[in-house]
Amino acid sequence: MKKVAAIVDRDKCHPEKCGHECMKYDPLNRSGGEGFHLGVHGKAEIAEEVVTEMHKISAKMCPFDAIRIVKLPEELKQEPIHSYGTNQFKLYNLPTPLIDKVVGIVGVNGIGKSTAIKILAGALMPNLGKKEASYHELIHFFRGNEAQAFFEKMHDGKITVMYKPQQVDLIQKKLQGKVKALLEKVDEKKLLDEVGKQLGITNILDRDITAISGGEMQRVAIAATVLKNADLYIFDEPTSYLDIKQRLRMSTFIRDLATEQTHVMAVEHDLIVLDYITDLVHVIYGEQGAYGVVSGVKSAREGINIFLSGYLREENVRFRDKAITFVRTPEVEQRERATLCSWKNVEKKFEGFSVKSGDGEIHKGEIVGVLGENGIGKTTFVKMLA
């Protein structure tokens, strides 16, 4: 396995606006070989097998910072499970759903978490680093482990997957109608009343889908997911937009979904929630936008500690220079500050809802937090100030 790879950000690459510096300063091109060139997409490209540390020179010459030369872990022996193309993001290995368990996935943004669960959900067919691959090749790739049995069942249509995507706001923009009517359409279990109470959405069922908050939409999306019959439920960031009370309620709800007939997987950035809802955890490490590697499965506590420490002992991989630690913020000495803005008795009324505030002010050089449950008027209040 090569120890370095070239990553080209095609959105940043503009050959029509530059002097093709990556090609002019490429050590291979200058010695008569073929290094960086314009590929089929009209963007800079280089064959992956010829990339060396020397290409950092030509990468640095790009005026748009569109090229990176990244190191791959020396211990990385396997081929990618999926590649988005030459000099694009690659994912190595996959997390494994397990019956009667909640399996968590943790990693920074842009590291492949959503790619991994889209593959497991059947929304993305992995290509094994090629242009395309068949289920037969995929099953052979994972022979001898849990993933082989999973993909065999998926290929034979013996497993049904329901997937709650990350961007619930996009779902909201595509739908029209009352919340209750939309949920009734997907209620295969006939449990809308019970699930509505568990998720705390009973009071919004008669509202239009476009008139609910982000936290309410999150809970509606989760309800829509679990009201369908499935063998595997996948949740991508199920607690985003939720306040602390709702996160605790949601965590208990997701934990209870795992049974002797059901797999559950969750991607979650809130480490406290992840520790509470999961039995096992996969850590995804690598370099953002370049590659991601899925670790072996760990206990929830062990996986979270590995993510914080930045070191995988079994794989002998350090994926972060420094451990993430939490320290108490020192108290700031109070002093006179110039007033940036102030307000007196502001109020906004809607049909069935109102927000009001007494006197207040914000000073220059300070950070002010607005704390409260979802749907209680925080956004409306700051919009009034804006």
Side-chain angles (χ1 to χ4, degrees), residues 70-238:
V70 301
K71 286 187 177 181
L72 298 173
E74 293 184 8
E75 295 77 12
L76 190 59
K77 306 296 182 185
Q78 75 260 39
E79 295 299 319
I81 183 69
H82 187 72
S83 169
Y84 283 98
T86 304
N87 310 141
Q88 300 295 293
F89 181 86
K90 292 176 176 58
L91 178 68
Y92 296 86
N93 206 4
L94 279 178
T96 305
L98 297 173
I99 202 77
D100 195 25
K101 301 290 183 183
V102 180
V103 179
I105 303 171
V106 63
V108 298
N109 287 334
I111 209 75
K113 301 187 301 299
S114 293
T115 296
I117 60 176
K118 283 179 181 178
I119 291 173
L120 294 174
L124 176 65
M125 184 65 186
N127 57 21
L128 303 182
K130 303 179 291 184
K131 287 187 177 180
E132 59 182 26
S134 66
Y135 263 114
H136 176 75
E137 291 175 295
L138 189 61
I139 291 167
H140 180 73
F141 184 88
F142 283 110
R143 64 190 183 279
N145 62 33
E146 294 277 354
Q148 177 186 358
F150 175 81
F151 283 111
E152 286 175 343
K153 290 179 181 178
M154 181 173 281
H155 177 251
D156 296 336
K158 294 180 179 179
I159 189 165
T160 304
V161 183
M162 284 305 301
Y163 165 49
K164 197 288 295 180
Q166 176 183 348
Q167 296 173 300
V168 293
D169 55 319
L170 297 182
I171 302 174
Q172 191 173 15
K173 292 176 181 178
K174 295 178 181 178
L175 298 176
Q176 292 182 334
K178 300 292 185 181
V179 173
K180 185 174 183 180
L182 293 169
L183 290 177
E184 284 176 339
K185 290 180 181 179
V186 298
D187 188 11
E188 297 176 351
K189 298 178 179 178
K190 305 304 177 186
L191 292 175
L192 176 54
D193 290 341
E194 181 180 336
V195 170
K197 290 178 183 177
Q198 288 178 298
L199 295 179
I201 59 173
T202 304
N203 63 326
I204 65 167
L205 291 177
D206 292 326
R207 289 194 203 170
D208 192 275
I209 192 72
T210 60
I212 62 177
S213 70
E216 291 163 342
M217 185 62 224
Q218 180 72 272
R219 287 175 283 160
V220 168
I222 291 173
T225 303
V226 301
L227 286 172
K228 286 197 170 186
N229 293 311
D231 306 291
L232 169 61
Y233 293 97
I234 302 178
F235 302 95
D236 195 346
E237 298 191 23

Side-chain angles (χ1 to χ4, degrees), residues 3-4 27 50-57 69-71:
K3 300 301 185 292
V4 294
V50 302
V51 181
T52 68
E53 291 275 358
M54 293 293 292
H55 284 98
K56 287 184 177 180
I57 299 170
I69 306 299
V70 301
K71 286 187 177 181

Side-chain angles (χ1 to χ4, degrees), residues 265 312 329 357:
M265 299 196 78
L312 271 160
T329 304
S357 169

